[in-house]
Amino acid sequence: MTPPGFRTPVEPMGRGWEDHRSRILLLDLWDRWNNALELCVANCHLEGDPRQPMARVAQVRSALQEAARRGGPRGHALVLAGDMNAPLISSAVASYLSFGAVVPGVSEFGMLVDVGKICAESGHPYSMTSAYTPDPNEFSFTLRGAAGHCHMLDQIWFDSTRSHCQGLRNLFRSDEHKLAVLNRGLPHAEDPSDHLPVGVILKVLPPAAPVEEVIPEIVSTAELDLLKEAEVLWEACPLSPEQRSQYLRCEEVLREATPVGKPSAEELAAYEAAQRALRSLLESLPEECQQILQRVEELKKQARKAAKRSAKDKGKDPAGKKSMPRTELFWALLEGDYPLEELKKVNLEGFDWSGRRKDGKTLLVARIGRALCCTPKFEEALNTIEWLICSGASIEQTCTGGHYAIGWPNREETEIRFECEGRSAISFVQTLQVKMRQNLSAWTDQDTFLTKVMSLFIQTPSPNEARRRVSIDEGIAELWEKSLAAKDSHDLTIETADGPVTAHAHMLKAASSVVTAMLESPMKEGKTQRIEIKDMPGKAVSLFVEILYTCSAQDEPDHETASHALDLAHRWQVEVVVAILTDLLAGMITDGNFLAIAEHAVLKGLDRLKTAAKSFGAGSTKVQADLKEGRLPTAVLQLFPAAPKPSKPDGPKPKRRRM
């Protein structure tokens, strides 16, 4: 969505990240009008040896894996194009792009492809479709015309979930042109290249709402589907930025003027005036826009009705099971700029406030970034941010991926873009303010908004800050230990890698909404009261249970056992045990286990443990030496962002390989 005052840009696409893989250039482009629209273009010229089909697959696979790491289908639309050096009609690389694997039995240039071990490692998250239909009569390359080989080597593939094909360039200007090429071959005076040009017109679609988890069947998806359809139509509506801003303002005025209960004469007059203003604006728009916006409003109305029906049905499950938090719907509303009142209507019992988007952005970073694109809704956004913090969203939680970009079209000097990985909500706001204040006249309103956000960070207490430690009588601790030792009364069995560990089901259900969902479900865990976690050592599960019951351990655990127990507490969302084990591991860091604990802290986003690891690493001679020589893993390097890059060894440059 574009702030008011935007004009049609000369360069509508901004340039993001880029990467060079084996014979493939990846370039990310973003829409200056809509920060949610990104396009990743992969320009390739694959291995030319006809006897190396799997080398071409490996090159494409490497590029798609890097694109997936940079956001995947959720983060961008993908187009892969260029000289594949393999026929479209039948080849290993075409099979890989279409199915995510090289199908056994596929042939290329008339030879059966030896798939080899790479088949088991294949796969990509995109739904790739060829712009050109595989046809043995079509070709883009030939040296000797009909007397030689004619193949469709030049290809364009796109992710069909994020873009639609609107038009295709014809390979030949006419049937006569095709016959002439078959007679004379390529290149020629009229066609100066040995390859014919290919081209496609694509419509890039916005991403669907992020999906964090599968919604159980007892939760209706009607409301979510309606909101998704409304969001797609709104993004596709051909409104100018000024018209979008005017429409949003009219909507907001109408919403605020809608009376509750029996209205007074003044309230009724204000409501009717707001209706007339919105109707007048609609009538001034092109007919196509009117039809789309009327459909959007109808879908929103149907969604509200579906929400009311869902609310009435809540609690009517005959088995008495609790519903899971509606995470997908919550993210859709949060990123769709819906009012705070709508967010509060969503069932958030057991919701994970430390969850992230698919691209790795945290709740607060996603909401703040979205708010900057809609100036009229700054106050509404501040209320939502304050509520998120009070509910449990951490201002110190860091992003694990994603990038942010914003700028005024036709004014490249205002363009701001940076990676979000490793940034908390605090550092995200700080980075934005530093960059915006370099050209403050363009970002006055946004800078004021970000200053208010920082004030919220200072003033709004997190629910976790209220947790305090207290002293208890030794006799109470002994009672807890006896309860743990009373194995005859244990009614829950946890199957581990080393055998069973038992506990009281009510104890774990009280501590973990995840365990509650498993044990109260009609699935195997609920029927047998047994949970299988065969990837977890028995010692780690026993330590987890001991700490949950008694806040202590009979034996001194090693760092590996404590790390596994922390994994389990994190998986089951038992925050009190996570906090205890985090403090335990922070006191166990040595030169020998620093890498394991530090990497654990970074990958799990455990801020207190990261702080302890960073403090230890700063004072450790061995860690500093490893840092200087570039021996630390990539994840651990995030703890030392200011560290200089390792120097390259002296010596002659390697010879360039001639292609």
Side-chain angles (χ1 to χ4, degrees):
M1 195 173 300
T2 312
F6 272 33
R7 293 179 297 162
T8 304
V10 176
E11 295 292 339
M13 303 298 286
R15 188 167 159 181
W17 57 268
E18 67 176 67
D19 201 339
H20 300 260
R21 313 304 288 180
S22 176
R23 300 182 71 113
I24 298 179
L25 169 65
L26 292 165
L27 178 63
D28 180 74
L29 303 172
W30 57 275
D31 187 350
R32 285 191 172 96
W33 278 27
N34 186 344
N35 193 56
L37 291 184
E38 292 185 29
L39 177 67
C40 176
V41 180
N43 189 358
C44 55
H45 188 182
L46 302 185
E47 167 63 47
D49 188 344
R51 297 163 296 182
Q52 297 291 325
M54 297 310 291
R56 288 184 280 277
V57 172
Q59 289 166 348
V60 170
R61 176 171 166 266
S62 174
L64 294 192
Q65 285 181 337
E66 178 62 21
R69 191 184 71 81
R70 298 274 193 165
R74 173 78 198 132
H76 53 242
L78 177 74
V79 177
L80 185 143
D83 184 357
M84 303 293 184
N85 274 317
L88 177 62
I89 188 66
S90 177
S91 66
V93 71
S95 176
Y96 175 74
L97 287 169
S98 298
F99 307 111
V102 181
V103 179
V106 69
S107 62
E108 185 171 318
F109 294 116
M111 298 178 289
L112 189 66
V113 175
D114 181 10
V115 175
K117 295 182 180 179
I118 196 173
C119 183
E121 303 173 359
S122 294
H124 60 77
Y126 299 95
S127 300
M128 300 302 289
T129 301
S130 172
Y132 288 88
T133 303
D135 186 340
N137 296 318
E138 295 296 341
F139 62 93
S140 66
F141 168 85
T142 179
L143 291 177
R144 296 187 297 277
H149 295 287
C150 299
H151 297 296
M152 189 69 185
L153 303 185
D154 304 276
Q155 302 164 26
I156 302 176
W157 294 76
F158 62 93
D159 182 2
S160 59
T161 64
R162 290 296 311 275
S163 51
H164 288 167
C165 180
Q166 305 289 297
L168 205 60
R169 179 190 176 101
N170 289 325
L171 290 165
F172 304 97
R173 296 185 289 275
S174 62
D175 290 341
E176 291 75 14
H177 177 222
K178 184 175 182 178
L179 290 173
V181 171
L182 286 172
N183 287 329
R184 65 177 181 242
L186 294 172
H188 187 265
E190 294 184 14
D191 298 287
S193 171
D194 56 348
H195 293 259
L196 295 171
V198 294
V200 67
I201 300 173
L202 294 174
K203 179 181 180 180
V204 179
L205 304 175
V211 180
E212 296 288 333
E213 60 189 46
V214 177
I215 297 179
E217 291 183 3
I218 60 173
V219 179
S220 171
T221 58
E223 179 185 357
L224 179 61
D225 292 340
L226 291 166
L227 291 174
K228 278 184 179 179
E229 186 179 348
E231 183 71 15
V232 170
L233 284 174
W234 168 256
E235 295 291 349
C237 187
L239 293 169
S240 71
E242 292 82 359
Q243 290 169 337
R244 285 182 185 272
S245 181
Q246 290 173 8
Y247 186 82
L248 287 173
R249 280 198 293 269
C250 287
E251 260 197 336
E252 188 172 359
V253 171
L254 180 60
R255 185 166 52 248
E256 292 175 351
T258 302
V260 179
K262 187 176 180 180
S264 64
E266 293 79 8
E267 289 175 333
L268 188 59
Y271 177 65
E272 290 175 347
Q275 280 187 316
R276 285 195 299 272
L278 181 60
R279 188 162 53 247
S280 175
L281 175 62
L282 276 172
E283 290 172 354
S284 69
L285 298 175
E287 185 176 351
E288 180 186 3
C289 295
Q290 291 184 37
Q291 294 176 353
I292 292 176
L293 292 175
Q294 287 169 358
R295 177 58 180 163
V296 168
E297 290 307 311
E298 180 62 29
L299 289 168
K300 288 181 179 179
K301 187 183 295 184
Q302 293 177 17
R304 288 193 291 270
K305 291 180 179 179
K308 289 179 180 179
R309 287 195 299 270
S310 178
K312 288 181 180 179
D313 294 339
K314 189 177 180 181
K316 292 184 180 180
D317 179 25
K321 304 297 186 292
K322 293 182 180 178
S323 61
M324 295 292 286
R326 305 183 70 180
T327 306
E328 184 177 3
L329 175 60
F330 179 76
W331 273 102
L333 296 176
L334 185 72
E335 296 192 317
D337 292 328
Y338 281 82
L340 178 57
E341 290 72 21
E342 298 296 327
L343 293 175
K344 290 180 177 179
K345 293 177 184 177
V346 181
N347 170 32
L348 295 175
E349 182 181 355
F351 180 76
D352 181 11
W353 294 98
S354 63
R356 296 179 176 87
R357 278 189 3 165
K358 286 296 183 182
D359 64 357
K361 291 180 185 174
T362 65
L363 274 167
L364 289 172
V365 167
R367 186 64 189 94
I368 295 167
R370 179 68 174 172
L372 288 172
C373 297
C374 190
T375 308
K377 293 191 175 183
F378 276 171
E379 289 303 318
E380 180 70 39
L382 287 170
N383 294 334
T384 302
I385 292 165
E386 181 179 10
W387 175 71
L388 289 173
I389 298 171
C390 290
S391 300
S394 171
I395 62 176
E396 297 179 349
Q397 183 191 12
T398 56
C399 301
T400 57
H403 75 277
Y404 187 73
I406 190 171
W408 294 91
N410 209 22
R411 294 175 62 186
E412 291 189 5
E413 73 278 4
T414 67
E415 183 177 310
I416 296 172
R417 52 188 174 88
F418 55 88
E419 296 295 327
C420 296
E421 186 174 357
R423 298 184 191 276
S424 65
I426 300 172
S427 58
F428 179 74
V429 171
Q430 286 177 322
T431 302
L432 280 168
Q433 286 195 296
V434 168
K435 292 180 179 294
M436 286 180 173
R437 288 173 182 175
Q438 294 172 3
N439 197 342
L440 188 56
S441 60
W443 301 108
T444 304
D445 292 340
Q446 287 76 12
D447 182 68
T448 302
F449 167 71
L450 293 174
T451 300
K452 292 179 179 179
V453 171
M454 289 297 286
S455 298
L456 278 181
F457 290 169
I458 297 169
Q459 299 167 8
T460 310
S462 166
N464 294 326
E465 294 174 2
R467 187 183 300 278
R468 297 184 297 110
R469 297 187 180 187
V470 296
S471 299
I472 60 167
D473 190 274
E474 187 175 356
I476 298 296
E478 290 177 358
L479 287 175
W480 292 341
E481 290 174 2
K482 288 179 181 179
S483 177
L484 175 61
K487 296 187 180 296
D488 290 341
S489 63
H490 290 182
D491 55 354
L492 172 65
T493 301
I494 305 171
E495 297 288 353
T496 75
D498 309 317
V501 174
T502 60
H504 294 101
H506 69 84
M507 188 72 176
L508 269 75
K509 286 162 65 176
S512 169
S513 60
V514 176
V515 173
T516 300
M518 286 191 287
L519 296 183
E520 292 186 356
S521 74
M523 296 185 291
K524 182 175 68 174
E525 291 86 351
K527 292 178 180 178
T528 63
Q529 296 294 289
R530 301 176 78 90
I531 299 175
E532 289 189 6
I533 43 172
K534 293 297 183 69
D535 61 334
M536 194 65 63
K539 288 170 61 178
V541 178
S542 296
L543 176 61
F544 166 82
V545 173
E546 269 192 279
I547 291 176
L548 181 62
Y549 274 75
T550 68
C551 196
S552 62
Q554 187 73 28
D555 301 316
E556 186 70 24
D558 55 47
H559 81 275
E560 291 183 349
T561 301
S563 295
H564 284 301
L566 177 58
D567 278 341
L568 182 59
H570 192 272
R571 184 188 307 178
W572 284 353
Q573 298 177 15
V574 185
E575 297 301 327
V576 62
V577 178
V578 170
I580 293 169
L581 287 168
T582 296
D583 290 342
L584 176 65
L585 277 169
M588 299 173 70
I589 303 176
T590 65
D591 282 339
N593 61 31
F594 169 80
L595 290 182
I597 293 179
E599 193 166 27
H600 203 83
V602 173
L603 296 178
K604 286 289 187 295
L606 303 170
D607 294 328
R608 280 189 291 177
L609 193 55
K610 285 197 292 184
T611 301
K614 184 176 181 180
S615 176
F616 177 89
S620 168
T621 304
K622 182 179 183 303
V623 173
Q624 290 300 310
D626 289 343
L627 178 62
K628 185 177 180 180
E629 296 299 324
R631 293 193 290 263
L632 295 182
T634 304
V636 179
L637 283 174
Q638 295 180 27
L639 299 175
F640 310 98
K645 295 182 179 180
S647 57
K648 296 182 180 179
D650 296 331
K653 293 183 178 180
K655 292 183 178 180
R656 295 175 64 87
R657 178 187 174 191
R658 296 189 179 277
M659 308 304 292

